[in-house]
Amino acid sequence: MLSIINKRNIFLHQKLVKSLFEQTVTRTLATHWDPKFRRLRKNKFTEPTLLDFDSNTKEKVKRGIEPPTSFIYKPINITSSKEIFDPYIPPEGDGKASLFSKEFAKGAVEKITKSTSKKFKHLRLIKKSDSNFDENLFAETAQQIYIDAHSILSKRDPEEMLNFVTENALMKMYHNMKFKTIRWKWIESLEEPVVKHLVTREMMVKTDLYAQVTVRIHSKQILAVYDRFGRLAFGSDTLPKDVLEYVVFEKHLSDPYGSWRLHDKIIPSWSPAKTPVIRSFALPEPYKTDDELEKRIVSKFKGDDSHLEKIQEEKS
Amino acid sequence: MFNNLIKSLNFLSHNIYHINRSIPTVLFHTNSASFVNKQDKSLEEDDFDLQRKESAKIKNLERLGSIKSHISWPQYNRIIYPPTEDGKPIRNPFVHHMRHFVKYPAKKMWYPALMIRGMSIDEAIKQLSFHRLKGAHIIKEVLLEAQDLALKQHNFEFKSNMWISYSTAVDSFRVKGVRKHRAMRLGMVEYKYCTYYVRLEEGAPPPNYHLEAETYEARAKEYIEKLRKRSIYLSI
């Protein structure tokens, strides 16, 4: 069973401030014809043990009552990481202009990421677990995994999807799609898929190894998203679109049952804007980030490629 | 301290059973509320115990059927209708919302709930804000929550383009107390709780909600349609 539990909608009863008119109206109802014996009349009644269903935890904490303790232990997943190790920076104008044009030569040189010089060492580590790892072959299998993952989305079965998709990507794909119907079609690929970047990293211990590969996929697709009631919300059922994406695939190398799965997508800032949603809506409030929380979060993966130095020593 | 630990572990087992079911959108307040009053009475029963007992009573009553179950109403929000070729939806889009365990008698709550049926949301909020009963303000809060839900989660477009097609108040449970009369005579006092159910639909309100059919022919048609809609429970 999946370990991801959706947050339940807890409706906080926000007590509205009453106007003066409302206050006076309710006060005039609760009058007795002889209010001077009100306190003696009160003593005739037993105090009932009524339960607080209406108040929030915040108000109770102010009064001095402890908040409830939750004994739900969240499970830990080792099969996937939650980050992209060394993000590949794609060059500008990649899908628009050809290699030999002016626009490309002006400012769009491919920026060198940190660990491109150590590509062959990363490859050697991957080949220890997969002896038959070929870059060109892998690009085609990766494209097939991409097609399978997106075509299974419409079935709303997370356990099937975990064969093609890591837990990190499942959260992002499955979250907003639960109460909608999606129709996705792959028409053709406009260019051959190309492997652009290879990284391996350790997690806390020598023997834990994770590998990530970015693949460039240029294709034609059809996407139509329908509402809970069957109304078109996004896209169209007939018009195809060109899509350029840099997709990250991940594998847990030290796991004997591990396999290459879709992990994440890199969306560059210069990509064209999305088509708008069909229905109009009010913009939500801007999302506030906790700076203190983000400082405390430390990834378990080392930021270096220091585990590669040992390979040369073994060889020599 | 140790007693509290044991009680909390027993509470855990109830909690886990509740989670592994098909996930309800509405949480019982009782499940989240396990408070300990610092001020007094470590020997007597805590609020923790009382909440657990009350929630057990409520669950038993729901199983027997004397209280309407609280989970089935918001589960209608999870139905997914397939897309059509025309583009028009099969069913007018709707949102279900409720509030349970309101400390207010259902008999009084029913009157503003009746008043609202067939109104648009703006008019309902206007009328309720100047109503004399306390229950009307509670209903207003529920309507505003439902409006937010509809806009964010169910893809309703406009805030004021909704109307109310179903609203009732139903009594849920009662707590009994005692009062004293003149001599050694005692009387029973009931503290009543109720739930309030709402359904919002998209669009302008229909012109004749209360006067659906005035002629004899229309009423006869309705009667025949009602009879034909019936189905046998658990039949093929």
Side-chain angles (χ1 to χ4, degrees), chain A residues 25 136 158 213 221 224 228 273 308:
Chain A
V25 161
N136 297 321
V213 177
Q221 295 169 12
R228 218 191 104 214
L308 294 174

Side-chain angles (χ1 to χ4, degrees), chain A residues 85-117:
Chain A
F85 294 145
D86 196 9
Y88 170 71
I89 302 165
E92 293 187 21
D94 199 355
K96 295 176 195 174
S98 65
L99 273 175
F100 300 103
S101 65
K102 269 190 205 173
E103 294 162 351
F104 193 81
K106 269 181 193 174
V109 178
E110 191 170 325
K111 290 177 195 173
I112 299 168
T113 51
K114 277 184 210 168
S115 58
T116 45
S117 58

Side-chain angles (χ1 to χ4, degrees), chain A residues 29 60 68 227-228 231 280, chain B residues 32 35 79 81 132 154 157:
Chain A
L29 285 175
K60 286 193 177 179
D227 207 359
R228 218 191 104 214
R231 304 177 285 186
S280 61
Chain B
S32 65
F35 299 112
I79 300 172
Y81 295 97
R132 63 192 285 246
H154 297 277
E157 195 165 2

Side-chain angles (χ1 to χ4, degrees), chain A residues 71-72, chain B residues 10-21:
Chain A
F71 290 102
I72 300 167
Chain B
N10 285 329
F11 183 69
L12 222 200
S13 60
H14 284 294
N15 223 350
I16 283 173
Y17 176 67
H18 206 65
I19 286 168
N20 277 334
R21 268 186 187 172

Side-chain angles (χ1 to χ4, degrees), chain A residues 8-9 12-13 22 29 44-46 48 50-51 53 60 66 68 178 183 227-229 231 279-280, chain B residues 25 29 32 35 54 76-77 79 81 83 93-94 99 129 132 145 154-155 157 178-180 202:
Chain A
R8 281 166 252 170
N9 295 326
L12 299 174
H13 303 320
E22 291 167 2
L29 285 175
K44 290 189 198 175
F45 290 81
T46 55
L50 294 175
L51 307 167
F53 293 107
K60 286 193 177 179
E66 294 172 3
K178 221 174 145 191
R183 287 184 183 168
D227 207 359
R228 218 191 104 214
F229 304 102
R231 304 177 285 186
R279 306 205 120 203
S280 61
Chain B
T25 52
H29 285 273
S32 65
F35 299 112
E54 289 293 328
Y76 281 92
N77 283 335
I79 300 172
Y81 295 97
F94 62 91
R99 187 186 283 196
S129 58
R132 63 192 285 246
E145 283 174 7
H154 297 277
N155 203 23
E157 195 165 2
V178 167
R179 69 153 286 171
K180 187 184 168 335
E202 199 174 22

Side-chain angles (χ1 to χ4, degrees), chain B residues 10-227:
Chain B
N10 285 329
F11 183 69
L12 222 200
S13 60
H14 284 294
N15 223 350
I16 283 173
Y17 176 67
H18 206 65
I19 286 168
N20 277 334
R21 268 186 187 172
S22 58
I23 301 160
T25 52
V26 177
L27 237 198
F28 277 129
H29 285 273
T30 49
N31 280 339
S32 65
S34 56
F35 299 112
V36 177
N37 244 327
K38 272 185 190 174
Q39 290 171 359
D40 41 358
K41 303 173 190 177
S42 60
L43 297 172
E44 293 182 11
E45 290 176 349
D46 301 333
D47 279 342
F48 190 80
D49 272 340
L50 286 171
Q51 293 264 359
R52 204 152 49 85
K53 280 182 191 173
E54 289 293 328
S55 65
K57 274 187 213 169
I58 290 160
K59 277 182 196 172
N60 273 323
L61 285 170
E62 282 182 356
R63 261 181 240 154
L64 291 170
S66 50
I67 297 180
K68 278 190 186 175
S69 60
H70 290 288
I71 294 169
S72 59
W73 187 249
Q75 273 185 349
Y76 281 92
N77 283 335
R78 299 171 146 249
I79 300 172
I80 301 165
Y81 295 97
T84 54
E85 295 170 358
D86 294 339
K88 292 180 191 175
I90 295 168
R91 198 174 156 164
N92 206 19
F94 62 91
V95 169
H96 283 218
H97 193 46
M98 59 178 273
R99 187 186 283 196
H100 57 146
F101 308 138
V102 183
K103 173 71 195 61
Y104 199 67
K107 277 186 179 177
K108 286 188 193 173
M109 193 77 145
W110 184 79
Y111 286 100
L114 174 73
M115 186 178 82
I116 279 178
R117 290 174 194 171
M119 282 188 186
S120 61
I121 251 196
D122 286 340
E123 210 186 318
I125 289 170
K126 269 191 239 171
Q127 296 285 336
L128 287 173
S129 58
F130 297 104
H131 202 267
R132 63 192 285 246
L133 295 179
K134 183 179 130 184
H137 301 292
I138 295 168
I139 289 173
K140 200 169 93 171
E141 290 173 13
V142 177
L143 283 181
L144 290 170
E145 283 174 7
Q147 205 185 35
D148 277 338
L149 257 191
L151 291 172
K152 288 179 187 172
Q153 294 184 6
H154 297 277
N155 203 23
F156 279 43
E157 195 165 2
F158 296 115
K159 207 167 75 165
S160 57
N161 196 25
M162 305 186 216
W163 64 282
I164 292 157
S165 60
Y166 185 90
S167 77
T168 49
V170 173
D171 56 350
S172 59
F173 72 101
R174 304 165 188 203
V175 179
K176 285 188 189 173
V178 167
R179 69 153 286 171
K180 187 184 168 335
H181 282 286
R182 187 170 151 264
M184 293 298 290
R185 287 174 62 80
L186 297 174
M188 197 176 72
V189 174
E190 280 183 345
Y191 300 95
K192 298 171 187 171
Y193 288 83
C194 71
T195 61
Y196 176 67
Y197 299 103
V198 170
R199 178 168 66 214
L200 290 175
E201 287 191 19
E202 199 174 22
N208 292 323
Y209 182 80
H210 291 286
L211 310 167
E212 275 171 351
E214 288 178 355
T215 59
Y216 292 122
E217 291 168 354
R219 284 167 73 182
K221 264 192 189 177
E222 274 187 29
Y223 181 63
I224 290 167
E225 279 179 18
K226 261 194 197 177
L227 292 176

